[in-house]
Amino acid sequence: MRQEYPCIDIDIAKIIHNICEIKAICHNEHIDIGAVSKGVCAQKPIVEAFLKAGITQIADSRMKNLKKLQDLNCTKLLLRVPMLSEIDDVVQYSDISLNSEISTISKLAEAAARLNKIHNIILMVDVGDLREGVLIKDVMDTVEKILQMKHIHLFGLGTNVTCYGAVIPDKHNLGMLVKLKKDIEEKFSITVPIISGGNSSSLYMVINHTIPREINQLRIGEAIMLGRETSYGQLIPNCYKDAFIIKGQIVELKDKPTIPIGNIGVDAFGRKPHYEDKGIRKRAIVAIGRQDIKVDGLTPLDEDINIFGASSDHLILDVTDCKKKFTIGDVIEFNVDYGCLLIAMTSPYVKKYYKNEQAYSA
Ligand SMILES: *Cc1c(COP(=O)(O)O)cnc(C)c1O
């Protein structure tokens, strides 16, 4: 079979391994994982790997992705608060959705009545990160209104941090969520089964056993894919950080100066570039660009390679210091960060290759 470039090699066995490790440390703290598929466009082989590893709940921000997974036997959770334009789909194709607007929840209730369903919601509370969520002072009023809606089940409280405001989850902000749950249960004489305590940034508290014991769900994406928690960027013990490798092919290789010749205007993205004069260097152009990757999210596996920059379709590398003598057609490999993974998985120009798909079932 002819190999296509650029491509991303996806090691299913490593993904399954990462999930099993993360699941094990979470289960020790009585926490269930919703595996987040949005960073990989809910690609079927990856979601199937989630299920093989024993995951029963798949979470994604896009209805299109959840719809694509409709015949898989698992609970589907919509992460992004619903748009009014997708309400019927939300009720039909997701079992649980995260919500923060009472007017949207009442539309969900109407749709659920029409479709003769009960729709589960997790009410998002903003504990300080300033992305989605009801402010703490408004939680009780909102809950009171939700409880009047017959076709809506208040399945849990949730929060999201370290996304917009880079607020790190801690005993204080997660503790507020726990206190709210207790207040709600007492005031309305109900049980709130789930407290969803955030994303991969909450894992450090699981690892060092400081996560409040009432937190019983986390929504985990990046840690599964790249093997690290996201509060401090630490690797999770025994996890792989290289389940995804991007590969591109060299199409030009020449010795050139490091300072462009001529008057400097702005680049293809409207930025005025700055150049450091390193003299004549061996430059390799790899056929991959900003349509496929995020330049500062790429790390060459060969540590002697430096990245000069990229335009839409060309990545320019400094290979002067490499031990290997490259030729046209050679393939350069890169590790990725989450933002780069997201773009590569979304780009139709990056071929996806899966390996170790027969990896064991947990
Ligand atoms: C993306 C997302 C997650 C997963 O975040 P990771 O950092 O990838 O673990 C969890 N919850 C919500 C609401 C999200 O949008």
Coordinates of all heavy atoms in Angstrom, one line a residue, residues 9-72:
D9 N 0.2 8.9 12.6 CA 0.2 7.6 13.1 C -0.5 7.5 14.5 O 0.0 8.2 15.4 CB 1.6 7.0 13.2 CG 2.1 6.6 11.8 OD1 1.4 6.8 10.8 OD2 3.2 6.0 11.8
I10 N -1.5 6.7 14.6 CA -2.3 6.6 15.8 C -2.1 5.2 16.4 O -2.6 4.3 15.8 CB -3.7 7.0 15.5 CG1 -3.8 8.4 14.9 CG2 -4.6 6.9 16.8 CD1 -5.1 8.6 14.1
D11 N -1.5 5.2 17.6 CA -1.3 3.8 18.2 C -2.4 3.5 19.1 O -2.4 4.0 20.3 CB 0.1 3.9 18.9 CG 0.5 2.5 19.3 OD1 -0.3 1.7 19.7 OD2 1.7 2.2 19.3
I12 N -3.3 2.6 18.7 CA -4.5 2.3 19.5 C -4.1 1.6 20.8 O -4.7 1.8 21.8 CB -5.4 1.4 18.6 CG1 -6.0 2.2 17.4 CG2 -6.5 0.8 19.5 CD1 -6.9 3.3 17.8
A13 N -3.0 0.8 20.7 CA -2.6 0.1 21.9 C -2.2 1.1 23.0 O -2.5 0.9 24.2 CB -1.5 -0.9 21.6
K14 N -1.5 2.1 22.6 CA -1.0 3.1 23.6 C -2.2 3.9 24.2 O -2.2 4.2 25.4 CB 0.0 4.1 23.0 CG 1.3 3.4 22.7 CD 2.4 4.4 22.2 CE 3.7 3.6 22.0 NZ 4.7 4.5 21.4
I15 N -3.2 4.2 23.3 CA -4.4 4.9 23.8 C -5.1 4.0 24.9 O -5.5 4.5 25.9 CB -5.3 5.3 22.7 CG1 -4.6 6.3 21.8 CG2 -6.6 5.8 23.2 CD1 -5.4 6.6 20.5
I16 N -5.3 2.7 24.5 CA -6.0 1.8 25.5 C -5.2 1.7 26.8 O -5.7 1.8 27.9 CB -6.1 0.4 24.8 CG1 -7.2 0.5 23.7 CG2 -6.6 -0.6 25.9 CD1 -7.4 -0.8 23.0
H17 N -3.9 1.7 26.6 CA -3.0 1.6 27.8 C -3.2 2.8 28.7 O -3.4 2.7 29.9 CB -1.5 1.5 27.4 CG -0.6 1.5 28.6 ND1 -0.2 0.4 29.2 CD2 0.0 2.5 29.2 CE1 0.6 0.7 30.2 NE2 0.7 2.0 30.2
N18 N -3.2 4.0 28.1 CA -3.4 5.3 28.8 C -4.7 5.3 29.6 O -4.8 5.7 30.7 CB -3.3 6.5 27.9 CG -1.8 6.8 27.5 OD1 -0.9 6.1 28.0 ND2 -1.7 7.9 26.7
I19 N -5.8 4.9 28.8 CA -7.1 4.9 29.5 C -7.1 3.9 30.7 O -7.6 4.3 31.8 CB -8.2 4.4 28.5 CG1 -8.3 5.4 27.4 CG2 -9.5 4.3 29.2 CD1 -9.3 4.9 26.3
C20 N -6.5 2.8 30.5 CA -6.5 1.8 31.6 C -5.8 2.4 32.9 O -6.2 2.2 34.0 CB -5.9 0.5 31.2 SG -7.0 -0.4 30.0
E21 N -4.7 3.0 32.6 CA -3.9 3.6 33.7 C -4.7 4.7 34.4 O -4.8 4.8 35.7 CB -2.6 4.2 33.2 CG -1.6 3.2 32.7 CD -1.0 2.3 33.8 OE1 -0.9 2.8 35.0 OE2 -0.7 1.1 33.5
I22 N -5.3 5.6 33.6 CA -6.1 6.7 34.2 C -7.3 6.2 34.9 O -7.7 6.7 36.0 CB -6.4 7.7 33.1 CG1 -5.1 8.4 32.5 CG2 -7.4 8.8 33.6 CD1 -5.3 9.1 31.3
K23 N -8.0 5.2 34.3 CA -9.2 4.6 34.9 C -8.8 4.0 36.3 O -9.6 4.2 37.2 CB -9.7 3.5 34.0 CG -11.1 3.8 33.5 CD -11.6 2.7 32.6 CE -11.5 1.4 33.3 NZ -12.0 0.2 32.7
A24 N -7.7 3.4 36.3 CA -7.3 2.7 37.6 C -7.1 3.7 38.7 O -7.6 3.6 39.8 CB -6.0 1.9 37.4
I25 N -6.4 4.8 38.4 CA -6.1 5.8 39.5 C -7.4 6.5 39.8 O -7.6 6.8 41.0 CB -5.0 6.8 39.1 CG1 -5.3 7.6 37.8 CG2 -3.6 6.2 39.0 CD1 -4.3 8.7 37.6
C26 N -8.3 6.7 38.9 CA -9.6 7.3 39.2 C -10.5 6.4 40.0 O -11.2 6.8 40.9 CB -10.3 7.8 37.9 SG -9.5 9.2 37.2
H27 N -10.5 5.1 39.6 CA -11.4 4.2 40.3 C -11.0 4.1 41.8 O -11.8 3.9 42.7 CB -11.4 2.8 39.6 CG -12.3 2.8 38.5 ND1 -12.7 1.7 37.8 CD2 -13.0 3.9 37.9 CE1 -13.6 2.1 36.8 NE2 -13.7 3.4 36.8
N28 N -9.7 4.2 42.1 CA -9.2 4.2 43.5 C -9.9 5.3 44.3 O -10.1 5.2 45.5 CB -7.7 4.5 43.6 CG -7.0 3.2 43.3 OD1 -7.6 2.1 43.5 ND2 -5.7 3.3 42.9
E29 N -10.3 6.4 43.6 CA -10.9 7.5 44.3 C -12.4 7.6 44.0 O -13.1 8.6 44.2 CB -10.3 8.9 43.8 CG -8.8 8.9 43.9 CD -8.2 9.2 45.3 OE1 -8.8 9.9 46.1 OE2 -7.2 8.5 45.7
H30 N -12.9 6.4 43.5 CA -14.4 6.3 43.2 C -14.9 7.3 42.2 O -15.9 7.9 42.3 CB -15.2 6.4 44.5 CG -14.7 5.5 45.5 ND1 -14.9 4.1 45.5 CD2 -14.0 5.8 46.6 CE1 -14.3 3.6 46.5 NE2 -13.7 4.5 47.3
I31 N -14.0 7.5 41.2 CA -14.4 8.5 40.1 C -14.5 7.7 38.8 O -13.7 6.9 38.4 CB -13.3 9.6 40.0 CG1 -13.3 10.5 41.2 CG2 -13.5 10.4 38.7 CD1 -12.1 11.4 41.3
D32 N -15.6 8.0 38.1 CA -15.9 7.5 36.8 C -15.4 8.4 35.7 O -15.5 9.6 35.9 CB -17.4 7.2 36.7 CG -17.8 6.2 35.6 OD1 -16.9 5.4 35.3 OD2 -18.9 6.3 35.1
I33 N -15.0 7.9 34.6 CA -14.5 8.8 33.5 C -15.4 8.8 32.3 O -15.9 7.8 31.8 CB -13.1 8.2 33.0 CG1 -12.1 8.3 34.1 CG2 -12.6 9.0 31.8 CD1 -10.8 7.7 33.7
G34 N -15.7 10.0 31.9 CA -16.3 10.3 30.6 C -15.1 10.5 29.6 O -14.4 11.5 29.8
A35 N -15.0 9.7 28.6 CA -13.8 9.8 27.7 C -14.2 10.8 26.6 O -15.2 10.7 26.0 CB -13.4 8.5 27.1
V36 N -13.4 11.9 26.5 CA -13.7 13.0 25.6 C -13.1 12.8 24.2 O -11.8 12.6 24.1 CB -13.2 14.3 26.2 CG1 -13.4 15.5 25.2 CG2 -13.9 14.6 27.5
S37 N -13.9 12.8 23.2 CA -13.5 12.4 21.8 C -13.3 13.6 20.9 O -12.9 13.5 19.8 CB -14.5 11.4 21.2 OG -15.8 11.9 21.3
K38 N -13.6 14.8 21.4 CA -13.6 16.0 20.5 C -12.2 16.3 19.9 O -12.1 16.8 18.8 CB -14.2 17.2 21.2 CG -13.3 17.8 22.3 CD -13.9 18.9 23.0 CE -12.9 19.5 24.0 NZ -13.5 20.2 25.1
G39 N -11.2 16.0 20.7 CA -9.8 16.3 20.2 C -9.4 15.5 19.0 O -8.4 15.8 18.4
V40 N -10.1 14.4 18.8 CA -9.8 13.5 17.7 C -11.0 13.3 16.7 O -11.1 12.4 16.0 CB -9.3 12.1 18.2 CG1 -7.9 12.3 18.9 CG2 -10.3 11.5 19.1
C41 N -11.8 14.4 16.7 CA -13.0 14.4 15.9 C -13.9 13.1 16.0 O -14.5 12.7 15.0 CB -12.6 14.6 14.4 SG -11.8 16.1 14.1
A42 N -13.8 12.5 17.2 CA -14.6 11.3 17.4 C -14.4 10.3 16.4 O -15.3 9.6 16.0 CB -16.1 11.6 17.6
Q43 N -13.1 10.1 15.9 CA -12.8 9.1 14.9 C -13.2 7.7 15.5 O -12.8 7.4 16.6 CB -11.3 9.1 14.6 CG -10.9 10.4 13.8 CD -11.4 10.3 12.3 OE1 -11.7 9.3 11.8 NE2 -11.4 11.5 11.7
K44 N -13.9 6.9 14.7 CA -14.5 5.7 15.2 C -13.4 4.7 15.8 O -13.6 4.2 16.9 CB -15.2 4.9 14.0 CG -16.7 5.2 14.0 CD -17.5 4.1 14.8 CE -18.9 4.4 14.9 NZ -19.7 4.2 13.7
P45 N -12.3 4.5 15.1 CA -11.3 3.5 15.7 C -10.8 4.0 17.1 O -10.6 3.1 17.9 CB -10.1 3.5 14.7 CG -10.7 4.1 13.4 CD -11.8 5.0 13.8
I46 N -10.8 5.3 17.3 CA -10.3 5.8 18.6 C -11.4 5.6 19.7 O -11.2 5.1 20.8 CB -9.8 7.2 18.5 CG1 -8.7 7.3 17.5 CG2 -9.4 7.7 19.9 CD1 -8.2 8.7 17.3
V47 N -12.6 5.9 19.3 CA -13.8 5.8 20.2 C -14.0 4.3 20.5 O -14.2 3.9 21.7 CB -15.0 6.4 19.7 CG1 -16.2 6.1 20.6 CG2 -14.8 7.9 19.5
E48 N -13.8 3.4 19.5 CA -13.9 2.0 19.8 C -12.8 1.5 20.8 O -13.0 0.7 21.6 CB -13.8 1.2 18.5 CG -15.2 1.2 17.8 CD -15.1 0.8 16.3 OE1 -14.0 0.5 15.8 OE2 -16.2 0.8 15.7
A49 N -11.6 2.2 20.7 CA -10.6 1.9 21.6 C -11.0 2.3 23.1 O -10.7 1.5 24.0 CB -9.3 2.6 21.3
F50 N -11.7 3.4 23.2 CA -12.2 3.8 24.5 C -13.0 2.7 25.1 O -12.9 2.3 26.2 CB -13.1 5.1 24.4 CG -12.4 6.4 24.0 CD1 -13.1 7.5 23.9 CD2 -11.0 6.4 23.9 CE1 -12.5 8.7 23.6 CE2 -10.4 7.6 23.5 CZ -11.1 8.8 23.4
L51 N -14.0 2.2 24.2 CA -14.9 1.2 24.7 C -14.2 -0.1 25.1 O -14.5 -0.7 26.1 CB -16.0 0.9 23.7 CG -16.8 2.2 23.3 CD1 -18.0 1.8 22.3 CD2 -17.4 2.9 24.5
K52 N -13.2 -0.5 24.2 CA -12.4 -1.7 24.5 C -11.7 -1.6 25.9 O -11.5 -2.6 26.6 CB -11.3 -1.8 23.5 CG -11.6 -2.8 22.4 CD -10.2 -3.0 21.7 CE -10.4 -3.8 20.4 NZ -9.2 -4.0 19.7
A53 N -11.3 -0.4 26.3 CA -10.6 -0.1 27.5 C -11.6 -0.1 28.7 O -11.2 0.2 29.8 CB -9.8 1.1 27.5
G54 N -12.9 -0.3 28.4 CA -13.9 -0.4 29.5 C -14.6 0.9 29.8 O -15.3 1.0 30.8
I55 N -14.4 1.9 28.9 CA -15.1 3.2 29.1 C -16.6 3.0 28.7 O -16.9 2.3 27.7 CB -14.5 4.3 28.2 CG1 -13.1 4.7 28.7 CG2 -15.4 5.5 28.0 CD1 -13.1 5.4 30.0
T56 N -17.5 3.5 29.5 CA -18.9 3.4 29.1 C -19.6 4.7 28.8 O -20.8 4.8 28.4 CB -19.7 2.8 30.3 OG1 -19.5 3.6 31.5 CG2 -19.2 1.4 30.7
Q57 N -18.8 5.8 28.9 CA -19.4 7.1 28.7 C -18.5 7.9 27.8 O -17.3 8.2 28.1 CB -19.5 7.9 30.0 CG -20.5 9.0 30.0 CD -20.8 9.5 31.4 OE1 -20.6 10.7 31.6 NE2 -21.2 8.7 32.3
I58 N -19.0 8.3 26.6 CA -18.3 9.1 25.6 C -18.8 10.5 25.6 O -20.0 10.8 25.6 CB -18.4 8.5 24.2 CG1 -18.0 7.1 24.2 CG2 -17.6 9.4 23.2 CD1 -16.6 6.8 24.4
A59 N -17.9 11.5 25.7 CA -18.3 12.9 25.8 C -17.7 13.6 24.6 O -16.5 13.5 24.2 CB -17.8 13.5 27.1
D60 N -18.5 14.5 24.0 CA -18.0 15.3 22.9 C -18.7 16.6 22.9 O -19.8 16.8 23.4 CB -18.2 14.6 21.5 CG -17.3 15.1 20.4 OD1 -17.4 16.2 19.9 OD2 -16.3 14.3 20.1
S61 N -18.1 17.7 22.3 CA -18.7 19.0 22.3 C -19.6 19.2 21.1 O -20.4 20.1 21.1 CB -17.5 20.0 22.2 OG -16.6 19.7 21.2
R62 N -19.5 18.3 20.1 CA -20.3 18.5 18.8 C -21.3 17.4 18.7 O -21.0 16.2 18.7 CB -19.3 18.4 17.6 CG -18.1 19.3 17.8 CD -18.1 20.5 16.9 NE -17.0 21.4 17.3 CZ -16.8 22.5 16.7 NH1 -17.6 22.9 15.7 NH2 -15.8 23.3 17.1
M63 N -22.6 17.9 18.4 CA -23.6 16.9 18.1 C -23.3 16.1 16.9 O -23.6 14.9 16.8 CB -25.0 17.7 17.8 CG -25.8 18.0 19.0 SD -25.8 16.7 20.3 CE -26.4 15.3 19.5
K64 N -22.6 16.7 15.9 CA -22.3 15.9 14.7 C -21.5 14.7 15.1 O -21.6 13.6 14.5 CB -21.4 16.7 13.7 CG -22.2 17.5 12.7 CD -21.3 17.8 11.5 CE -22.2 18.4 10.4 NZ -21.9 19.7 10.0
N65 N -20.5 14.8 16.0 CA -19.7 13.7 16.5 C -20.6 12.7 17.2 O -20.4 11.5 17.0 CB -18.6 14.2 17.3 CG -17.5 14.9 16.5 OD1 -17.5 14.9 15.3 ND2 -16.6 15.6 17.2
L66 N -21.4 13.1 18.1 CA -22.2 12.2 18.9 C -23.2 11.4 18.0 O -23.4 10.2 18.2 CB -23.0 12.9 20.0 CG -22.1 13.5 21.1 CD1 -23.0 14.1 22.2 CD2 -21.3 12.4 21.8
K67 N -23.7 12.1 17.0 CA -24.6 11.4 16.0 C -23.9 10.3 15.3 O -24.4 9.2 15.1 CB -25.1 12.4 14.9 CG -26.5 12.9 15.1 CD -26.7 14.1 14.2 CE -28.1 14.0 13.5 NZ -28.4 15.3 12.9
K68 N -22.6 10.6 14.9 CA -21.8 9.6 14.2 C -21.6 8.3 15.1 O -21.4 7.3 14.6 CB -20.5 10.3 14.0 CG -19.5 9.6 13.0 CD -18.4 10.6 12.6 CE -17.3 10.7 13.7 NZ -16.2 11.6 13.3
L69 N -21.7 8.5 16.4 CA -21.5 7.4 17.3 C -22.8 6.7 17.8 O -22.7 5.9 18.7 CB -20.7 7.9 18.6 CG -19.4 8.6 18.3 CD1 -18.8 9.1 19.6 CD2 -18.4 7.8 17.6
Q70 N -23.9 7.1 17.1 CA -25.2 6.6 17.7 C -25.3 5.1 17.8 O -26.0 4.7 18.8 CB -26.3 7.2 16.9 CG -26.4 6.8 15.5 CD -27.7 7.3 14.9 OE1 -28.8 7.0 15.3 NE2 -27.5 8.2 13.8
D71 N -24.7 4.3 17.0 CA -24.9 2.9 17.1 C -23.9 2.2 18.1 O -23.9 1.0 18.3 CB -24.9 2.2 15.7 CG -23.9 2.8 14.8 OD1 -24.1 4.0 14.5 OD2 -22.9 2.1 14.4
L72 N -23.0 3.0 18.7 CA -22.2 2.4 19.7 C -22.9 2.3 21.0 O -23.7 3.2 21.4 CB -20.9 3.3 19.9 CG -19.9 3.3 18.7 CD1 -18.7 4.1 19.0 CD2 -19.5 1.9 18.3

